[in-house]
Amino acid sequence: MDTGTARRLARLSSGQDGRALLVALDHGLTGGPPKGLESFSAAKSWVDNPAITGLVMHRGTLKALTGRGMALQKPVLVQSNGMSRWAQNPSDKPILASAEDAVRLGADGLSVEFCAERGSFGENLKAIARQIGAADQYGLPVMVMLSITGAPNDGDGWVEMHRAITRTLIEIGATFIKVRQPPTEDLWRPYLEGICNDACIVMAGGGVDEPSRVVERLGAGLRSGALGMCVGRNVFQHLDPAQFLAEIASLPMGHNVTVADGSPGEQAREAEAGK
């Protein structure tokens, strides 16, 4: 990993354990103003919370927050593709922002969604690989948001498919991989076995749910080897976002999970320790 990517990756994590607590604010492009974020100003009370290690947003949101003096010190991943749910094919996720755009905007990396569906798998993979290649030229880490159409609900099938496609994304150079919540929390461990040594795996928060259930899901993933989380609605739709952020930021990491020397997670820890 080059110096620029390692340093930016370290800014997107915190503490000796290198934990990432990312908050996603990219929902508006897909479905319009979400509850709790009807206006960008609605995030003012919590977006600079010290528990947050990074934010994920489209370029328009970044411009709006910057214009309001919000989150100026927070690392940002620019969401670089997407599609409105009103489109004929919402699974078509064209590239909307480039690595050059991210650099001009002062961002710390890119986020890109990979829709893994049989009919467009190859084309989507090529588009993701091109984004990663362009980001490499600027030392920008890339988080790939993994979305599998028709993923099995049975445990073995879910684990097998997610491990296979996660390895594919590691092979093309993804820095972070964001993975949706499995059907049951006990699947995190067999999914993460070994893979957590080779990439920074962050968990999606899952659908809006009782806060205690969200905390339980995230805790299970952290104990199994996930490096962190990328949560959206469960933060900004919470009655007290600051309290919820403090709670998930204090969840213990897995102590029995080793991080291999030279892995992205290990390099992030080393860069963080060298600050």
Side-chain angles (χ1 to χ4, degrees):
M1 185 183 296
D2 65 90
T3 300
T5 303
R7 291 183 64 85
R8 293 182 178 96
L9 182 58
R11 289 199 290 268
L12 288 158
S13 58
S14 69
Q16 293 303 311
D17 59 10
R19 177 197 311 257
L21 200 172
L22 309 175
V23 176
L25 303 174
D26 59 336
H27 304 71
L29 184 141
T30 302
K35 180 183 176 183
L37 204 58
E38 294 87 353
S39 165
F40 297 123
S41 297
K44 190 173 183 63
S45 66
W46 57 264
V47 75
D48 285 295
N49 189 289
I52 298 173
T53 66
L55 300 165
V56 182
M57 63 186 79
H58 289 282
R59 70 165 97 186
T61 305
L62 179 53
K63 290 180 178 181
L65 295 187
T66 301
R68 291 165 169 78
M70 297 164 59
L72 295 179
Q73 303 301 318
K74 288 293 182 187
V76 171
L77 296 175
V78 170
Q79 183 60 35
S80 62
N81 67 343
M83 178 56 69
S84 169
R85 68 184 178 91
W86 302 106
Q88 183 174 4
N89 181 15
S91 294
D92 177 25
K93 309 282 187 178
I95 299 299
L96 304 174
S98 66
E100 292 89 344
D101 293 327
V103 172
R104 283 196 299 270
L105 290 164
D108 296 270
L110 288 176
S111 172
V112 59
E113 184 173 358
F114 175 52
C115 294
E117 50 185 26
R118 292 187 182 277
S120 57
F121 195 105
E123 289 302 313
N124 291 346
L125 190 65
K126 284 193 291 185
I128 301 300
R130 285 193 294 268
Q131 282 291 81
I132 292 173
D136 283 348
Q137 300 300 310
Y138 294 94
L140 296 174
V142 178
M143 180 174 77
V144 179
M145 304 162 64
L146 176 56
S147 174
I148 301 179
T149 301
N153 283 323
D154 66 284
D156 291 344
W158 188 94
V159 169
E160 180 182 11
M161 179 175 285
H162 279 75
R163 284 178 62 85
I165 298 178
T166 297
R167 182 55 180 262
T168 298
L169 297 176
I170 293 171
E171 295 281 356
I172 65 171
T175 319
F176 284 99
I177 301 172
K178 175 184 173 182
V179 180
R180 293 181 174 180
Q181 288 288 327
T184 58
E185 290 90 350
D186 63 312
L187 297 180
W188 277 120
R189 187 164 295 278
Y191 161 68
L192 287 164
E193 183 179 358
I195 281 180
C196 65
N197 293 334
D198 299 322
C200 299
I201 306 296
V202 296
M203 304 168 284
V208 177
D209 204 343
E210 289 295 322
S212 60
R213 285 286 301 127
V214 180
V215 170
E216 182 180 343
R217 292 197 297 258
L218 296 174
L222 287 175
R223 291 191 300 272
S224 299
L227 193 71
M229 59 206 78
C230 182
V231 188
R233 290 185 177 90
N234 282 296
V235 171
F236 60 74
Q237 292 182 5
H238 194 281
L239 292 176
D240 187 348
Q243 182 274 327
F244 181 70
L245 286 165
E247 186 170 4
I248 60 176
S250 65
L251 289 169
M253 303 281 282
H255 297 294
N256 60 336
V257 179
T258 59
V259 180
D261 291 343
S263 71
E266 178 63 19
Q267 292 190 45
R269 288 167 171 79
E270 291 176 352
E272 178 74 20
K275 288 182 178 178

